[in-house]
């Protein structure tokens, strides 16, 4: 879990909105005069993965975007109720035909080095994003722009050649400082390790593999954050992180289901911490490398899904704190197709599909054989995520039952991304996608996004899905969009490029000395600058 103060709009995919929140009551700490907001103290958040780069345009991992979300701003953001509102843009106007957006930028905003923020920064961010030399996964939305102009330092006018549904949301991308990057190779910039933004926190220090330290921006345009320092501690093991939490060395983390259900219910714990629970904006999946000969036949992928008991995963891994994922859009969302049927758990049907694909005979160990080779592959997942490891282990047992030999390899997060995922160097991955409210999923599923470092790293290519992805983002008519996404889900259910596993509940826990945490449909991190620690309870 990462409590970024706003849901990043640049991340691909779609919304899993909050439908319920539960909060342990904050303990009483004396008279009302003791509970007043005060500047000072620090918040230490535990995270299992280090950032890869602090230039968000170049990052595709949640750890990097979590930190960047406090350092940078976009022109717009999502508010607590998932409505798009101004951020660096004080306001915006959309033409009646939907093709032109005029952003009115805030005046007086400064970069962390004191330079003024102007329309020049917006134009630079647009240009560097669409530059073919920039290795980014986020260029496609900006490529839809027909023209962009800045009539003055505080106005930006963007025109599209055709309707583009995610247009406004796309301007939630972090705006970068032109005065520090213009004319330089962004891939070699020192901002990757020492960012300069406009956000509520300034970069202070990054000790690789250990911590990233941010300090409050006293001149932030929405007001100085009450908490002076925000520290990300990288602790790859969640059990160790939990021990650090109980010892007072961590103030905030995402609990595992077993921690939430069984280890955090005592009076002492509930007096020191507040727990929250709500559906996360993410889903977990098992992704197949479709370039690998073993997974090119969709009957194989269908069989693997049929051999996996998702209910077992939800009860055994999540302790019931989650729901099944059927496709890339979650139940309850406007673009979700309720008529798509999941491939049910049925080992017999799995065996039939495998036999149809030529996997009929078994060796003396009970492993399926074809052309003298056993049916064997490795699930690759990241270090520190116990849910994904346990999920992989349960799936390993279920697939062994139908004659498939599965190995599991756990790799450190940064290496996992750089050496395996980005390069397509895997057979099967156990991963999750963070999602954003618009159902557009072009960057994850379009066949043009299969190059190294892009988000369609499983190599899914389907002409029908390509056409529907374009249709879905090329109209403002919600019914036409819904029709396109409904059909995409039907195709995905048949093709099974992923086995979509589950949507876990978010289970953040926060020290009770930190006040002002108010759950909302977007989660808990949207108002982070208003969190505070009463003076008498400050410990840093």
């Amino acid at each position: 879990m990462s409590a970024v103060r706003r849901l990043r709009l640049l991340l691909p995919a779609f919304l899993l909105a909050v439908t319920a929140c539960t909060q342990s009551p904050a303990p009483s700490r004396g008279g009302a005069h003791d509970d007043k907001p005060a500047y000072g103290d620090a918040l230490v958040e535990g995270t299992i993965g280090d950032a890869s780069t602090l230039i968000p345009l170049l990052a595709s991992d949640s750890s990097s975007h979590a930190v960047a979300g406090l350092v940078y701003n976009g022109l717009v953001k999502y508010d607590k109720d998932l409505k798009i509102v101004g951020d660096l843009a004080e306001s915006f106007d959309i033409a009646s035909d939907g093709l032109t957006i005029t952003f009115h930028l805030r005046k007086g905003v400064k970069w962390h080095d004191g330079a003024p923020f102007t329309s020049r920064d917006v134009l630079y961010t647009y240009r560097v994003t669409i530059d073919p030399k920039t290795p980014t996964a986020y260029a496609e939305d900006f490529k839809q722009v027909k023209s962009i102009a800045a009539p003055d330092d505080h106005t930006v006018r963007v025109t599209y050649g055709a309707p583009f549904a995610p247009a406004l949301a796309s301007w939630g991308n972090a705006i970068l400082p032109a005065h520090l990057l213009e004319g330089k190779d962004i891939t070699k910039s020192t901002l990757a390790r020492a960012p300069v933004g406009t956000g509520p926190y300034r970069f202070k220090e990054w000790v690789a593999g250990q911590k990233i330290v941010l300090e409050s921006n006293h001149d932030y345009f929405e007001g100085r954050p009450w908490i002076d320092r925000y520290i990300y501690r990288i602790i790859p093991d969640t059990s160790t992180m939990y021990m650090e939490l109980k010892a007072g060395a961590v103030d905030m983390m995402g609990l595992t289901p077993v921690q939430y259900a069984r280890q955090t219910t005592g009076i002492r714990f509930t007096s020191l911490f507040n727990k929250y629970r709500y559906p996360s904006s993410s889903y977990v999946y098992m992704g197949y490398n479709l370039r690998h000969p073993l997974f090119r036949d969709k009957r194989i992928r269908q069989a693997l899904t049929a051999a996996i008991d998702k209910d077992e995963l939800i009860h055994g891994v999540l302790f019931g704190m989650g729901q099944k994922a059927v496709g890339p859009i979650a139940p309850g969302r406007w673009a979700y197709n309720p008529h798509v049927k999941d491939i049910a758990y049925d080992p017999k049907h799995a065996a039939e599909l495998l036999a149809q694909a030529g996997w009929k005979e078994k060796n003396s160990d009970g492993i399926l054989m074809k052309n003298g080779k056993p049916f064997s592959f490795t699930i690759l997942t990241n270090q520190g995520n116990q849910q994904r490891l346990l999920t992989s282990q349960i799936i390993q047992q279920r697939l062994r039952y139908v004659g498939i030999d599965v190995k599991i390899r756990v790799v450190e997060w940064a290496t996992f991304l750089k050496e395996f995922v980005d390069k397509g160097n895997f057979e099967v991955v156990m991963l999750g996608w963070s999602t954003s409210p618009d159902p557009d999923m072009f960057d994850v599923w379009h066949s043009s996004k299969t190059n190294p470092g892009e988000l369609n790293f499983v190599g899914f290519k389907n002409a029908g899905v390509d056409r529907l992805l374009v249709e879905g983002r090329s109209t403002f008519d919600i019914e036409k969009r819904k029709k396109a996404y409904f059909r995409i889900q039907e195709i995905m259910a048949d093709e099974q490029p992923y086995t979509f596993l589950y949507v876990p509940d978010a289970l953040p826990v926060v020290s009770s000395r930190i006040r002002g945490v108010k759950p909302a449909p977007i989660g808990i991190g949207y108002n982070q600058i208003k969190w505070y620690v009463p003076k008498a309870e400050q410990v840093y």
Side-chain angles (χ1 to χ4, degrees):
M1 188 278 300
S2 180
V4 289
R5 65 187 181 86
R6 61 190 180 276
L7 185 64
R8 297 304 308 170
L9 291 107
L10 58 79
L11 292 177
F14 27 86
L15 170 68
L16 298 171
V18 176
T19 55
C21 297
T22 60
Q23 175 182 358
S24 304
S28 174
R29 296 283 184 157
H33 64 281
D34 294 328
D35 201 37
K36 294 179 180 178
Y39 292 115
D41 212 2
L43 188 154
V44 181
E45 178 176 351
T47 178
I48 61 172
D50 201 353
S52 60
T53 174
L54 294 182
I55 298 177
L57 180 63
L58 306 181
S60 58
D61 61 292
S62 58
S63 295
S64 297
H65 284 290
V67 180
L70 292 174
V71 175
Y72 294 95
N73 297 87
L75 294 187
V76 296
K77 65 181 180 180
Y78 286 110
D79 70 5
K80 66 184 181 70
D81 297 313
L82 297 161
K83 296 177 181 177
I84 298 176
V85 297
D87 197 4
L88 284 173
E90 190 169 35
S91 63
F92 50 85
D93 304 315
I94 303 176
S96 58
D97 61 4
L99 299 182
T100 300
I101 307 172
T102 302
F103 294 102
H104 306 285
L105 309 184
R106 295 180 187 270
K107 297 178 180 178
V109 174
K110 294 185 182 301
W111 292 97
H112 293 159
D113 62 1
F117 160 73
T118 70
S119 56
R120 173 191 173 193
D121 302 302
V122 181
L123 294 183
Y124 166 75
T125 300
Y126 163 76
R127 289 168 183 152
V128 74
T129 301
I130 64 169
D131 188 332
K133 295 191 295 292
T134 303
T136 180
Y138 309 115
E140 196 63 36
D141 286 358
F142 281 0
K143 288 179 180 178
Q144 309 310 308
V145 173
K146 179 181 179 182
S147 65
I148 183 169
D152 56 55
D153 282 353
H154 297 98
T155 306
V156 174
R157 185 168 295 114
V158 184
T159 300
Y160 294 82
F164 182 56
L168 181 60
S170 71
W171 291 97
N173 287 12
I175 301 300
L176 301 172
H179 69 287
L180 297 177
L181 289 167
E182 213 161 35
K184 300 178 181 178
D185 184 347
I186 193 172
T187 65
K188 298 178 181 178
S189 172
T190 57
L191 269 64
R193 301 292 301 185
V196 175
T198 54
Y201 283 86
R202 303 169 183 261
F203 174 81
K204 173 66 175 176
E205 180 186 19
W206 184 356
V207 181
Q210 297 183 37
K211 64 180 179 179
I212 298 174
V213 181
L214 308 177
E215 293 184 333
S216 64
N217 177 6
H218 292 197
D219 301 319
Y220 187 52
F221 60 81
E222 287 187 322
R224 172 184 171 182
W226 289 106
I227 295 176
D228 277 351
R229 282 186 298 154
Y230 203 104
I231 302 168
Y232 287 88
R233 280 194 59 200
I234 295 95
I235 306 172
D237 179 70
T238 52
S239 297
T240 302
M241 192 187 301
Y242 176 63
M243 297 301 292
E244 295 274 359
L245 179 83
K246 292 199 298 180
V250 168
D251 298 309
M252 181 176 176
M253 66 175 285
L255 295 171
T256 65
V258 67
Q259 289 167 347
Y260 186 97
R262 296 183 178 177
Q263 300 173 14
T264 56
T265 56
I267 294 175
R268 183 178 184 279
F269 188 92
T270 55
S271 70
L272 295 174
F273 299 97
N274 293 321
K275 297 192 300 182
Y276 304 86
R277 176 185 169 188
Y278 46 86
S280 70
S281 58
S282 64
Y283 66 84
V284 173
Y285 62 90
M286 193 166 80
Y288 306 107
N289 189 338
L290 302 180
R291 304 173 185 89
H292 193 288
L294 195 55
F295 304 111
R296 288 175 184 163
D297 188 333
K298 71 179 179 182
R299 292 173 298 185
I300 296 292
R301 306 191 297 269
Q302 292 171 345
L304 293 170
T305 299
I308 296 169
D309 187 346
K310 295 182 185 180
D311 288 325
E312 178 183 39
L313 297 176
I314 291 169
H315 293 291
V317 177
L318 302 183
F319 285 69
M321 289 178 273
Q323 57 185 319
K324 284 194 288 187
V326 177
I329 298 178
R333 306 287 63 83
W334 66 262
Y336 172 73
N337 186 345
H339 307 297
V340 172
K341 291 185 178 180
D342 196 13
I343 294 178
Y345 171 59
D346 187 345
K348 183 178 179 181
H349 181 52
E352 292 170 351
L353 288 168
L354 291 167
Q356 290 173 20
W359 295 92
K360 302 176 182 179
E361 307 298 327
K362 292 184 178 180
N363 64 17
S364 58
D365 294 324
I367 301 301
L368 288 166
M369 301 290 293
K370 182 180 178 182
N371 298 327
K373 295 182 178 180
F375 197 136
S376 177
F377 63 84
T378 297
I379 296 176
L380 194 70
T381 193
N382 60 290
Q383 182 183 11
N385 193 311
Q386 290 299 115
Q387 286 183 36
R388 292 179 192 170
L389 177 58
L390 183 55
T391 297
S392 299
Q393 291 170 337
I394 293 174
I395 288 174
Q396 180 184 45
Q397 295 172 359
R398 285 294 173 187
L399 295 184
R400 181 66 178 80
Y401 179 76
V402 296
I404 297 172
D405 175 41
V406 176
K407 298 176 178 62
I408 300 169
R409 184 179 179 187
V410 179
V411 181
E412 183 271 330
W413 178 244
T415 303
F416 178 60
L417 292 176
K418 183 178 181 180
E419 299 299 328
F420 296 94
V421 174
D422 287 349
K423 295 180 179 179
N425 184 22
F426 62 88
E427 294 172 317
V428 175
V429 290
M430 182 70 63
L431 260 176
W433 275 124
S434 293
T435 62
S436 77
D438 193 276
D440 177 50
M441 36 188 160
F442 187 96
D443 286 340
V444 178
W445 295 112
H446 196 273
S447 62
S448 65
K449 297 300 178 179
T450 56
N451 296 317
E454 294 194 293
L455 303 183
N456 187 355
F457 47 78
V458 297
F460 179 71
K461 295 183 178 183
N462 182 287
V465 170
D466 282 354
R467 176 180 55 78
L468 291 161
L469 287 169
V470 172
E471 287 182 8
R473 62 180 3 212
S474 301
T475 177
F476 299 123
D477 187 323
I478 195 168
E479 291 304 318
K480 290 181 179 178
R481 298 193 77 198
K482 185 183 291 186
K483 182 178 179 181
Y485 294 123
F486 272 31
R487 180 58 186 146
I488 287 172
Q489 290 165 81
E490 292 170 354
I491 295 171
M492 292 290 187
D494 181 56
E495 289 289 335
Q496 291 291 302
Y498 294 170
T499 292
F500 299 90
L501 296 171
Y502 51 75
V503 178
D505 287 351
L507 305 172
V509 59
V510 185
S511 169
S512 60
R513 84 174 193 283
I514 296 168
R515 310 292 209 275
V517 182
K518 298 179 180 180
I522 200 171
I524 67 170
Y526 67 95
N527 70 335
Q528 215 164 60
I529 65 170
K530 296 182 180 179
W531 294 5
Y532 66 93
V533 180
K535 201 68 178 177
E537 296 178 46
Q538 293 183 8
V539 298
Y540 293 102

